[in-house]
């Protein structure tokens, strides 16, 4: 009977140690998964911030790009008005023709 108690006690200790090891492994796996999730979320946040910065840069660049054609159009308008004035000065256009052409250009 003493022998049976010793065997039973040893078996109980082995089962307890095995259970503890399995619980520790499960806890370590859960902690590792949580760390991976946190790293993934951090990477996603960094990627989102980079995308936001790129969008802001694009928005800031858009008005500058739009201003260039407007300046070209304004310069073209000035050139056309200058040609009209030259034609009037040369006597090719009358005052009425000059005024009509100028109004057409200016809209």
């Amino acid at each position: 009977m003493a022998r049976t108690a010793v065997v039973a006690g040893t078996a109980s200790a082995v089962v307890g140690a095995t259970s503890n090891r399995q619980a520790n492994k499960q806890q370590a796996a859960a902690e590792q998964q949580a760390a991976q999730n946190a790293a993934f979320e951090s990477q996603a946040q960094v990627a989102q911030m980079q995308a936001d910065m790129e969008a802001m840069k694009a928005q800031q660049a858009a008005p500058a790009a739009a201003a260039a054609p407007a300046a070209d159009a304004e310069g073209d308008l000035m050139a056309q008005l200058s040609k009209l004035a030259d034609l009037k000065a040369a006597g090719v256009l009358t005052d009425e023709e000059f005024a009509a052409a100028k109004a057409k250009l200016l809209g």
Side-chain angles (χ1 to χ4, degrees), residues 26-69:
Q26 288 175 349
Q27 183 177 0
E31 288 173 357
Q32 184 179 9
Q33 183 66 34
Q36 287 175 346
N37 288 345
F40 178 74
E41 288 177 16
S42 294
Q43 289 174 348
Q45 288 174 346
V46 168
Q48 182 63 42
M49 289 173 65
Q50 289 174 341
D52 290 345
M53 292 297 290
E54 291 300 321
M56 287 174 56
K57 287 179 184 177
Q59 287 176 348
Q60 290 173 349

PDB file of all heavy atoms in Angstrom, residues 26-69:
ATOM      1  N   GLN A  26       1.179  27.821 -23.472  1.00  0.00           N
ATOM      2  CA  GLN A  26       0.006  28.512 -23.995  1.00  0.00           C
ATOM      3  C   GLN A  26       0.068  30.013 -23.685  1.00  0.00           C
ATOM      4  O   GLN A  26      -0.266  30.852 -24.513  1.00  0.00           O
ATOM      5  CB  GLN A  26      -1.275  27.904 -23.430  1.00  0.00           C
ATOM      6  CG  GLN A  26      -1.592  26.537 -24.000  1.00  0.00           C
ATOM      7  CD  GLN A  26      -2.794  25.894 -23.332  1.00  0.00           C
ATOM      8  OE1 GLN A  26      -3.284  26.363 -22.313  1.00  0.00           O
ATOM      9  NE2 GLN A  26      -3.260  24.794 -23.919  1.00  0.00           N
ATOM     10  N   GLN A  27       0.525  30.324 -22.470  1.00  0.00           N
ATOM     11  CA  GLN A  27       0.634  31.729 -22.091  1.00  0.00           C
ATOM     12  C   GLN A  27       1.693  32.428 -22.939  1.00  0.00           C
ATOM     13  O   GLN A  27       1.485  33.547 -23.405  1.00  0.00           O
ATOM     14  CB  GLN A  27       0.980  31.865 -20.610  1.00  0.00           C
ATOM     15  CG  GLN A  27       1.028  33.318 -20.143  1.00  0.00           C
ATOM     16  CD  GLN A  27       1.304  33.435 -18.652  1.00  0.00           C
ATOM     17  OE1 GLN A  27       1.460  32.432 -17.957  1.00  0.00           O
ATOM     18  NE2 GLN A  27       1.363  34.653 -18.176  1.00  0.00           N
ATOM     19  N   ALA A  28       2.825  31.763 -23.171  1.00  0.00           N
ATOM     20  CA  ALA A  28       3.880  32.349 -23.998  1.00  0.00           C
ATOM     21  C   ALA A  28       3.387  32.554 -25.430  1.00  0.00           C
ATOM     22  O   ALA A  28       3.675  33.588 -26.057  1.00  0.00           O
ATOM     23  CB  ALA A  28       5.120  31.468 -23.984  1.00  0.00           C
ATOM     24  N   ALA A  29       2.642  31.600 -25.954  1.00  0.00           N
ATOM     25  CA  ALA A  29       2.105  31.728 -27.314  1.00  0.00           C
ATOM     26  C   ALA A  29       1.119  32.897 -27.390  1.00  0.00           C
ATOM     27  O   ALA A  29       1.120  33.658 -28.359  1.00  0.00           O
ATOM     28  CB  ALA A  29       1.436  30.431 -27.740  1.00  0.00           C
ATOM     29  N   ALA A  30       0.293  33.041 -26.368  1.00  0.00           N
ATOM     30  CA  ALA A  30      -0.667  34.140 -26.342  1.00  0.00           C
ATOM     31  C   ALA A  30       0.053  35.493 -26.271  1.00  0.00           C
ATOM     32  O   ALA A  30      -0.331  36.447 -26.953  1.00  0.00           O
ATOM     33  CB  ALA A  30      -1.626  33.991 -25.161  1.00  0.00           C
ATOM     34  N   GLU A  31       1.101  35.566 -25.474  1.00  0.00           N
ATOM     35  CA  GLU A  31       1.870  36.808 -25.359  1.00  0.00           C
ATOM     36  C   GLU A  31       2.571  37.128 -26.679  1.00  0.00           C
ATOM     37  O   GLU A  31       2.617  38.284 -27.103  1.00  0.00           O
ATOM     38  CB  GLU A  31       2.885  36.698 -24.222  1.00  0.00           C
ATOM     39  CG  GLU A  31       2.249  36.722 -22.840  1.00  0.00           C
ATOM     40  CD  GLU A  31       3.240  36.437 -21.727  1.00  0.00           C
ATOM     41  OE1 GLU A  31       4.426  36.171 -22.018  1.00  0.00           O
ATOM     42  OE2 GLU A  31       2.826  36.477 -20.560  1.00  0.00           O
ATOM     43  N   GLN A  32       3.092  36.096 -27.333  1.00  0.00           N
ATOM     44  CA  GLN A  32       3.752  36.298 -28.618  1.00  0.00           C
ATOM     45  C   GLN A  32       2.743  36.788 -29.670  1.00  0.00           C
ATOM     46  O   GLN A  32       3.028  37.686 -30.449  1.00  0.00           O
ATOM     47  CB  GLN A  32       4.418  35.010 -29.097  1.00  0.00           C
ATOM     48  CG  GLN A  32       5.196  35.171 -30.388  1.00  0.00           C
ATOM     49  CD  GLN A  32       5.866  33.885 -30.821  1.00  0.00           C
ATOM     50  OE1 GLN A  32       5.627  32.822 -30.267  1.00  0.00           O
ATOM     51  NE2 GLN A  32       6.715  33.988 -31.824  1.00  0.00           N
ATOM     52  N   GLN A  33       1.562  36.203 -29.660  1.00  0.00           N
ATOM     53  CA  GLN A  33       0.520  36.621 -30.599  1.00  0.00           C
ATOM     54  C   GLN A  33       0.120  38.072 -30.341  1.00  0.00           C
ATOM     55  O   GLN A  33      -0.066  38.851 -31.272  1.00  0.00           O
ATOM     56  CB  GLN A  33      -0.709  35.705 -30.488  1.00  0.00           C
ATOM     57  CG  GLN A  33      -1.803  36.017 -31.481  1.00  0.00           C
ATOM     58  CD  GLN A  33      -1.388  35.758 -32.917  1.00  0.00           C
ATOM     59  OE1 GLN A  33      -0.635  34.845 -33.182  1.00  0.00           O
ATOM     60  NE2 GLN A  33      -1.889  36.567 -33.831  1.00  0.00           N
ATOM     61  N   ALA A  34       0.007  38.438 -29.066  1.00  0.00           N
ATOM     62  CA  ALA A  34      -0.345  39.820 -28.727  1.00  0.00           C
ATOM     63  C   ALA A  34       0.745  40.789 -29.198  1.00  0.00           C
ATOM     64  O   ALA A  34       0.450  41.865 -29.715  1.00  0.00           O
ATOM     65  CB  ALA A  34      -0.570  39.953 -27.227  1.00  0.00           C
ATOM     66  N   ALA A  35       2.000  40.398 -29.040  1.00  0.00           N
ATOM     67  CA  ALA A  35       3.108  41.242 -29.491  1.00  0.00           C
ATOM     68  C   ALA A  35       3.094  41.387 -31.012  1.00  0.00           C
ATOM     69  O   ALA A  35       3.330  42.476 -31.547  1.00  0.00           O
ATOM     70  CB  ALA A  35       4.438  40.664 -29.030  1.00  0.00           C
ATOM     71  N   GLN A  36       2.806  40.308 -31.723  1.00  0.00           N
ATOM     72  CA  GLN A  36       2.720  40.372 -33.179  1.00  0.00           C
ATOM     73  C   GLN A  36       1.567  41.279 -33.618  1.00  0.00           C
ATOM     74  O   GLN A  36       1.703  42.051 -34.566  1.00  0.00           O
ATOM     75  CB  GLN A  36       2.558  38.978 -33.773  1.00  0.00           C
ATOM     76  CG  GLN A  36       3.818  38.132 -33.714  1.00  0.00           C
ATOM     77  CD  GLN A  36       3.596  36.710 -34.206  1.00  0.00           C
ATOM     78  OE1 GLN A  36       2.469  36.268 -34.354  1.00  0.00           O
ATOM     79  NE2 GLN A  36       4.689  35.989 -34.442  1.00  0.00           N
ATOM     80  N   ASN A  37       0.445  41.157 -32.947  1.00  0.00           N
ATOM     81  CA  ASN A  37      -0.698  42.015 -33.269  1.00  0.00           C
ATOM     82  C   ASN A  37      -0.364  43.489 -33.045  1.00  0.00           C
ATOM     83  O   ASN A  37      -0.732  44.349 -33.851  1.00  0.00           O
ATOM     84  CB  ASN A  37      -1.926  41.621 -32.451  1.00  0.00           C
ATOM     85  CG  ASN A  37      -2.533  40.311 -32.893  1.00  0.00           C
ATOM     86  OD1 ASN A  37      -2.242  39.804 -33.970  1.00  0.00           O
ATOM     87  ND2 ASN A  37      -3.372  39.736 -32.049  1.00  0.00           N
ATOM     88  N   ALA A  38       0.325  43.777 -31.933  1.00  0.00           N
ATOM     89  CA  ALA A  38       0.703  45.158 -31.641  1.00  0.00           C
ATOM     90  C   ALA A  38       1.671  45.681 -32.705  1.00  0.00           C
ATOM     91  O   ALA A  38       1.553  46.822 -33.155  1.00  0.00           O
ATOM     92  CB  ALA A  38       1.333  45.250 -30.259  1.00  0.00           C
ATOM     93  N   ALA A  39       2.612  44.844 -33.123  1.00  0.00           N
ATOM     94  CA  ALA A  39       3.565  45.251 -34.161  1.00  0.00           C
ATOM     95  C   ALA A  39       2.839  45.499 -35.480  1.00  0.00           C
ATOM     96  O   ALA A  39       3.128  46.467 -36.189  1.00  0.00           O
ATOM     97  CB  ALA A  39       4.643  44.192 -34.340  1.00  0.00           C
ATOM     98  N   PHE A  40       1.886  44.641 -35.806  1.00  0.00           N
ATOM     99  CA  PHE A  40       1.119  44.811 -37.046  1.00  0.00           C
ATOM    100  C   PHE A  40       0.327  46.104 -37.012  1.00  0.00           C
ATOM    101  O   PHE A  40       0.288  46.853 -37.996  1.00  0.00           O
ATOM    102  CB  PHE A  40       0.186  43.615 -37.247  1.00  0.00           C
ATOM    103  CG  PHE A  40      -0.663  43.732 -38.477  1.00  0.00           C
ATOM    104  CD1 PHE A  40      -0.111  43.553 -39.735  1.00  0.00           C
ATOM    105  CD2 PHE A  40      -2.008  44.043 -38.377  1.00  0.00           C
ATOM    106  CE1 PHE A  40      -0.892  43.667 -40.868  1.00  0.00           C
ATOM    107  CE2 PHE A  40      -2.795  44.156 -39.508  1.00  0.00           C
ATOM    108  CZ  PHE A  40      -2.228  43.976 -40.756  1.00  0.00           C
ATOM    109  N   GLU A  41      -0.300  46.400 -35.880  1.00  0.00           N
ATOM    110  CA  GLU A  41      -1.058  47.633 -35.743  1.00  0.00           C
ATOM    111  C   GLU A  41      -0.149  48.847 -35.865  1.00  0.00           C
ATOM    112  O   GLU A  41      -0.517  49.849 -36.501  1.00  0.00           O
ATOM    113  CB  GLU A  41      -1.807  47.658 -34.414  1.00  0.00           C
ATOM    114  CG  GLU A  41      -2.990  46.704 -34.371  1.00  0.00           C
ATOM    115  CD  GLU A  41      -3.684  46.673 -33.023  1.00  0.00           C
ATOM    116  OE1 GLU A  41      -3.458  47.592 -32.209  1.00  0.00           O
ATOM    117  OE2 GLU A  41      -4.466  45.748 -32.786  1.00  0.00           O
ATOM    118  N   SER A  42       1.047  48.773 -35.285  1.00  0.00           N
ATOM    119  CA  SER A  42       1.999  49.881 -35.386  1.00  0.00           C
ATOM    120  C   SER A  42       2.408  50.100 -36.836  1.00  0.00           C
ATOM    121  O   SER A  42       2.489  51.237 -37.299  1.00  0.00           O
ATOM    122  CB  SER A  42       3.239  49.602 -34.539  1.00  0.00           C
ATOM    123  OG  SER A  42       2.899  49.573 -33.179  1.00  0.00           O
ATOM    124  N   GLN A  43       2.663  49.002 -37.553  1.00  0.00           N
ATOM    125  CA  GLN A  43       3.035  49.113 -38.964  1.00  0.00           C
ATOM    126  C   GLN A  43       1.888  49.719 -39.772  1.00  0.00           C
ATOM    127  O   GLN A  43       2.106  50.542 -40.654  1.00  0.00           O
ATOM    128  CB  GLN A  43       3.413  47.754 -39.535  1.00  0.00           C
ATOM    129  CG  GLN A  43       4.739  47.223 -39.024  1.00  0.00           C
ATOM    130  CD  GLN A  43       5.018  45.806 -39.492  1.00  0.00           C
ATOM    131  OE1 GLN A  43       4.140  45.134 -40.017  1.00  0.00           O
ATOM    132  NE2 GLN A  43       6.242  45.356 -39.296  1.00  0.00           N
ATOM    133  N   ALA A  44       0.676  49.319 -39.459  1.00  0.00           N
ATOM    134  CA  ALA A  44      -0.488  49.853 -40.170  1.00  0.00           C
ATOM    135  C   ALA A  44      -0.635  51.349 -39.894  1.00  0.00           C
ATOM    136  O   ALA A  44      -0.960  52.127 -40.799  1.00  0.00           O
ATOM    137  CB  ALA A  44      -1.747  49.104 -39.760  1.00  0.00           C
ATOM    138  N   GLN A  45      -0.385  51.759 -38.655  1.00  0.00           N
ATOM    139  CA  GLN A  45      -0.485  53.174 -38.309  1.00  0.00           C
ATOM    140  C   GLN A  45       0.589  53.988 -39.033  1.00  0.00           C
ATOM    141  O   GLN A  45       0.319  55.080 -39.535  1.00  0.00           O
ATOM    142  CB  GLN A  45      -0.366  53.368 -36.802  1.00  0.00           C
ATOM    143  CG  GLN A  45      -1.586  52.897 -36.036  1.00  0.00           C
ATOM    144  CD  GLN A  45      -1.391  52.954 -34.536  1.00  0.00           C
ATOM    145  OE1 GLN A  45      -0.275  53.104 -34.047  1.00  0.00           O
ATOM    146  NE2 GLN A  45      -2.479  52.823 -33.797  1.00  0.00           N
ATOM    147  N   VAL A  46       1.801  53.442 -39.101  1.00  0.00           N
ATOM    148  CA  VAL A  46       2.881  54.131 -39.805  1.00  0.00           C
ATOM    149  C   VAL A  46       2.539  54.254 -41.285  1.00  0.00           C
ATOM    150  O   VAL A  46       2.716  55.315 -41.893  1.00  0.00           O
ATOM    151  CB  VAL A  46       4.230  53.391 -39.605  1.00  0.00           C
ATOM    152  CG1 VAL A  46       5.290  53.907 -40.551  1.00  0.00           C
ATOM    153  CG2 VAL A  46       4.691  53.538 -38.168  1.00  0.00           C
ATOM    154  N   ALA A  47       2.037  53.184 -41.879  1.00  0.00           N
ATOM    155  CA  ALA A  47       1.653  53.216 -43.291  1.00  0.00           C
ATOM    156  C   ALA A  47       0.550  54.240 -43.530  1.00  0.00           C
ATOM    157  O   ALA A  47       0.577  54.976 -44.522  1.00  0.00           O
ATOM    158  CB  ALA A  47       1.212  51.830 -43.750  1.00  0.00           C
ATOM    159  N   GLN A  48      -0.409  54.314 -42.636  1.00  0.00           N
ATOM    160  CA  GLN A  48      -1.499  55.285 -42.772  1.00  0.00           C
ATOM    161  C   GLN A  48      -0.970  56.707 -42.660  1.00  0.00           C
ATOM    162  O   GLN A  48      -1.374  57.591 -43.418  1.00  0.00           O
ATOM    163  CB  GLN A  48      -2.584  55.036 -41.711  1.00  0.00           C
ATOM    164  CG  GLN A  48      -3.761  55.963 -41.819  1.00  0.00           C
ATOM    165  CD  GLN A  48      -4.512  55.816 -43.125  1.00  0.00           C
ATOM    166  OE1 GLN A  48      -4.729  54.710 -43.592  1.00  0.00           O
ATOM    167  NE2 GLN A  48      -4.907  56.917 -43.721  1.00  0.00           N
ATOM    168  N   MET A  49      -0.041  56.932 -41.731  1.00  0.00           N
ATOM    169  CA  MET A  49       0.537  58.258 -41.574  1.00  0.00           C
ATOM    170  C   MET A  49       1.320  58.657 -42.827  1.00  0.00           C
ATOM    171  O   MET A  49       1.254  59.810 -43.271  1.00  0.00           O
ATOM    172  CB  MET A  49       1.439  58.298 -40.338  1.00  0.00           C
ATOM    173  CG  MET A  49       0.669  58.250 -39.028  1.00  0.00           C
ATOM    174  SD  MET A  49       1.719  58.089 -37.576  1.00  0.00           S
ATOM    175  CE  MET A  49       2.607  59.610 -37.609  1.00  0.00           C
ATOM    176  N   GLN A  50       2.058  57.701 -43.409  1.00  0.00           N
ATOM    177  CA  GLN A  50       2.801  57.991 -44.630  1.00  0.00           C
ATOM    178  C   GLN A  50       1.843  58.320 -45.774  1.00  0.00           C
ATOM    179  O   GLN A  50       2.092  59.245 -46.555  1.00  0.00           O
ATOM    180  CB  GLN A  50       3.698  56.815 -45.008  1.00  0.00           C
ATOM    181  CG  GLN A  50       4.885  56.648 -44.081  1.00  0.00           C
ATOM    182  CD  GLN A  50       5.688  55.392 -44.371  1.00  0.00           C
ATOM    183  OE1 GLN A  50       5.199  54.475 -45.000  1.00  0.00           O
ATOM    184  NE2 GLN A  50       6.920  55.373 -43.899  1.00  0.00           N
ATOM    185  N   ALA A  51       0.762  57.572 -45.878  1.00  0.00           N
ATOM    186  CA  ALA A  51      -0.222  57.834 -46.927  1.00  0.00           C
ATOM    187  C   ALA A  51      -0.851  59.218 -46.732  1.00  0.00           C
ATOM    188  O   ALA A  51      -1.060  59.954 -47.700  1.00  0.00           O
ATOM    189  CB  ALA A  51      -1.300  56.753 -46.921  1.00  0.00           C
ATOM    190  N   ASP A  52      -1.127  59.578 -45.484  1.00  0.00           N
ATOM    191  CA  ASP A  52      -1.691  60.899 -45.195  1.00  0.00           C
ATOM    192  C   ASP A  52      -0.712  62.011 -45.587  1.00  0.00           C
ATOM    193  O   ASP A  52      -1.105  63.035 -46.146  1.00  0.00           O
ATOM    194  CB  ASP A  52      -2.058  61.026 -43.714  1.00  0.00           C
ATOM    195  CG  ASP A  52      -3.245  60.159 -43.324  1.00  0.00           C
ATOM    196  OD1 ASP A  52      -3.957  59.677 -44.235  1.00  0.00           O
ATOM    197  OD2 ASP A  52      -3.445  59.954 -42.105  1.00  0.00           O
ATOM    198  N   MET A  53       0.569  61.798 -45.287  1.00  0.00           N
ATOM    199  CA  MET A  53       1.586  62.789 -45.640  1.00  0.00           C
ATOM    200  C   MET A  53       1.695  62.945 -47.155  1.00  0.00           C
ATOM    201  O   MET A  53       1.809  64.058 -47.662  1.00  0.00           O
ATOM    202  CB  MET A  53       2.948  62.399 -45.055  1.00  0.00           C
ATOM    203  CG  MET A  53       3.008  62.488 -43.539  1.00  0.00           C
ATOM    204  SD  MET A  53       2.750  64.165 -42.928  1.00  0.00           S
ATOM    205  CE  MET A  53       4.259  64.933 -43.459  1.00  0.00           C
ATOM    206  N   GLU A  54       1.661  61.833 -47.881  1.00  0.00           N
ATOM    207  CA  GLU A  54       1.718  61.889 -49.345  1.00  0.00           C
ATOM    208  C   GLU A  54       0.507  62.625 -49.902  1.00  0.00           C
ATOM    209  O   GLU A  54       0.631  63.416 -50.836  1.00  0.00           O
ATOM    210  CB  GLU A  54       1.803  60.480 -49.934  1.00  0.00           C
ATOM    211  CG  GLU A  54       3.116  59.768 -49.659  1.00  0.00           C
ATOM    212  CD  GLU A  54       4.320  60.492 -50.230  1.00  0.00           C
ATOM    213  OE1 GLU A  54       4.229  61.033 -51.356  1.00  0.00           O
ATOM    214  OE2 GLU A  54       5.368  60.519 -49.551  1.00  0.00           O
ATOM    215  N   ALA A  55      -0.666  62.373 -49.323  1.00  0.00           N
ATOM    216  CA  ALA A  55      -1.880  63.053 -49.777  1.00  0.00           C
ATOM    217  C   ALA A  55      -1.778  64.555 -49.519  1.00  0.00           C
ATOM    218  O   ALA A  55      -2.179  65.364 -50.372  1.00  0.00           O
ATOM    219  CB  ALA A  55      -3.109  62.469 -49.078  1.00  0.00           C
ATOM    220  N   MET A  56      -1.227  64.939 -48.375  1.00  0.00           N
ATOM    221  CA  MET A  56      -1.068  66.348 -48.062  1.00  0.00           C
ATOM    222  C   MET A  56      -0.097  67.010 -49.037  1.00  0.00           C
ATOM    223  O   MET A  56      -0.326  68.128 -49.499  1.00  0.00           O
ATOM    224  CB  MET A  56      -0.583  66.528 -46.624  1.00  0.00           C
ATOM    225  CG  MET A  56      -1.653  66.244 -45.583  1.00  0.00           C
ATOM    226  SD  MET A  56      -1.061  66.284 -43.884  1.00  0.00           S
ATOM    227  CE  MET A  56      -0.338  67.891 -43.770  1.00  0.00           C
ATOM    228  N   LYS A  57       0.990  66.309 -49.351  1.00  0.00           N
ATOM    229  CA  LYS A  57       1.955  66.852 -50.309  1.00  0.00           C
ATOM    230  C   LYS A  57       1.309  67.031 -51.677  1.00  0.00           C
ATOM    231  O   LYS A  57       1.546  68.020 -52.356  1.00  0.00           O
ATOM    232  CB  LYS A  57       3.174  65.929 -50.426  1.00  0.00           C
ATOM    233  CG  LYS A  57       4.086  65.967 -49.229  1.00  0.00           C
ATOM    234  CD  LYS A  57       5.242  65.006 -49.409  1.00  0.00           C
ATOM    235  CE  LYS A  57       6.119  64.937 -48.185  1.00  0.00           C
ATOM    236  NZ  LYS A  57       7.194  63.948 -48.346  1.00  0.00           N
ATOM    237  N   ALA A  58       0.502  66.068 -52.072  1.00  0.00           N
ATOM    238  CA  ALA A  58      -0.171  66.152 -53.368  1.00  0.00           C
ATOM    239  C   ALA A  58      -1.149  67.328 -53.384  1.00  0.00           C
ATOM    240  O   ALA A  58      -1.255  68.040 -54.387  1.00  0.00           O
ATOM    241  CB  ALA A  58      -0.898  64.848 -53.677  1.00  0.00           C
ATOM    242  N   GLN A  59      -1.858  67.538 -52.284  1.00  0.00           N
ATOM    243  CA  GLN A  59      -2.794  68.656 -52.210  1.00  0.00           C
ATOM    244  C   GLN A  59      -2.065  69.989 -52.262  1.00  0.00           C
ATOM    245  O   GLN A  59      -2.548  70.947 -52.850  1.00  0.00           O
ATOM    246  CB  GLN A  59      -3.628  68.576 -50.939  1.00  0.00           C
ATOM    247  CG  GLN A  59      -4.673  67.485 -50.975  1.00  0.00           C
ATOM    248  CD  GLN A  59      -5.419  67.372 -49.663  1.00  0.00           C
ATOM    249  OE1 GLN A  59      -5.031  67.949 -48.655  1.00  0.00           O
ATOM    250  NE2 GLN A  59      -6.494  66.617 -49.658  1.00  0.00           N
ATOM    251  N   GLN A  60      -0.883  70.047 -51.636  1.00  0.00           N
ATOM    252  CA  GLN A  60      -0.119  71.286 -51.651  1.00  0.00           C
ATOM    253  C   GLN A  60       0.472  71.545 -53.032  1.00  0.00           C
ATOM    254  O   GLN A  60       0.611  72.687 -53.447  1.00  0.00           O
ATOM    255  CB  GLN A  60       0.995  71.241 -50.606  1.00  0.00           C
ATOM    256  CG  GLN A  60       0.469  71.306 -49.186  1.00  0.00           C
ATOM    257  CD  GLN A  60       1.549  71.091 -48.147  1.00  0.00           C
ATOM    258  OE1 GLN A  60       2.665  70.702 -48.469  1.00  0.00           O
ATOM    259  NE2 GLN A  60       1.223  71.328 -46.891  1.00  0.00           N
ATOM    260  N   ALA A  61       0.817  70.488 -53.743  1.00  0.00           N
ATOM    261  CA  ALA A  61       1.409  70.634 -55.068  1.00  0.00           C
ATOM    262  C   ALA A  61       0.358  70.991 -56.115  1.00  0.00           C
ATOM    263  O   ALA A  61       0.665  71.649 -57.101  1.00  0.00           O
ATOM    264  CB  ALA A  61       2.126  69.354 -55.466  1.00  0.00           C
ATOM    265  N   ALA A  62      -0.874  70.569 -55.916  1.00  0.00           N
ATOM    266  CA  ALA A  62      -1.933  70.801 -56.898  1.00  0.00           C
ATOM    267  C   ALA A  62      -2.178  72.286 -57.167  1.00  0.00           C
ATOM    268  O   ALA A  62      -2.256  72.680 -58.327  1.00  0.00           O
ATOM    269  CB  ALA A  62      -3.219  70.105 -56.471  1.00  0.00           C
ATOM    270  N   PRO A  63      -2.297  73.147 -56.154  1.00  0.00           N
ATOM    271  CA  PRO A  63      -2.510  74.566 -56.456  1.00  0.00           C
ATOM    272  C   PRO A  63      -1.338  75.176 -57.226  1.00  0.00           C
ATOM    273  O   PRO A  63      -1.541  76.013 -58.091  1.00  0.00           O
ATOM    274  CB  PRO A  63      -2.661  75.224 -55.083  1.00  0.00           C
ATOM    275  CG  PRO A  63      -3.115  74.131 -54.189  1.00  0.00           C
ATOM    276  CD  PRO A  63      -2.463  72.881 -54.734  1.00  0.00           C
ATOM    277  N   ALA A  64      -0.121  74.750 -56.924  1.00  0.00           N
ATOM    278  CA  ALA A  64       1.034  75.282 -57.639  1.00  0.00           C
ATOM    279  C   ALA A  64       0.986  74.873 -59.102  1.00  0.00           C
ATOM    280  O   ALA A  64       1.293  75.663 -59.989  1.00  0.00           O
ATOM    281  CB  ALA A  64       2.325  74.793 -56.985  1.00  0.00           C
ATOM    282  N   ALA A  65       0.594  73.640 -59.364  1.00  0.00           N
ATOM    283  CA  ALA A  65       0.495  73.165 -60.743  1.00  0.00           C
ATOM    284  C   ALA A  65      -0.639  73.867 -61.475  1.00  0.00           C
ATOM    285  O   ALA A  65      -0.540  74.159 -62.667  1.00  0.00           O
ATOM    286  CB  ALA A  65       0.279  71.655 -60.758  1.00  0.00           C
ATOM    287  N   ALA A  66      -1.721  74.165 -60.775  1.00  0.00           N
ATOM    288  CA  ALA A  66      -2.847  74.849 -61.397  1.00  0.00           C
ATOM    289  C   ALA A  66      -2.519  76.316 -61.651  1.00  0.00           C
ATOM    290  O   ALA A  66      -3.025  76.905 -62.599  1.00  0.00           O
ATOM    291  CB  ALA A  66      -4.085  74.738 -60.508  1.00  0.00           C
ATOM    292  N   ALA A  67      -1.664  76.896 -60.840  1.00  0.00           N
ATOM    293  CA  ALA A  67      -1.308  78.296 -61.006  1.00  0.00           C
ATOM    294  C   ALA A  67      -0.475  78.503 -62.259  1.00  0.00           C
ATOM    295  O   ALA A  67      -0.567  79.548 -62.900  1.00  0.00           O
ATOM    296  CB  ALA A  67      -0.564  78.799 -59.777  1.00  0.00           C
ATOM    297  N   ALA A  68       0.339  77.537 -62.629  1.00  0.00           N
ATOM    298  CA  ALA A  68       1.194  77.681 -63.805  1.00  0.00           C
ATOM    299  C   ALA A  68       0.368  77.829 -65.080  1.00  0.00           C
ATOM    300  O   ALA A  68       0.617  78.755 -65.858  1.00  0.00           O
ATOM    301  CB  ALA A  68       2.159  76.509 -63.897  1.00  0.00           C
ATOM    302  N   PRO A  69      -0.625  76.978 -65.360  1.00  0.00           N
ATOM    303  CA  PRO A  69      -1.438  77.196 -66.562  1.00  0.00           C
ATOM    304  C   PRO A  69      -2.199  78.514 -66.517  1.00  0.00           C
ATOM    305  O   PRO A  69      -2.382  79.158 -67.542  1.00  0.00           O
ATOM    306  CB  PRO A  69      -2.406  76.009 -66.580  1.00  0.00           C
ATOM    307  CG  PRO A  69      -1.721  74.954 -65.804  1.00  0.00           C
ATOM    308  CD  PRO A  69      -0.924  75.693 -64.765  1.00  0.00           C
TER     309      PRO A  69
END
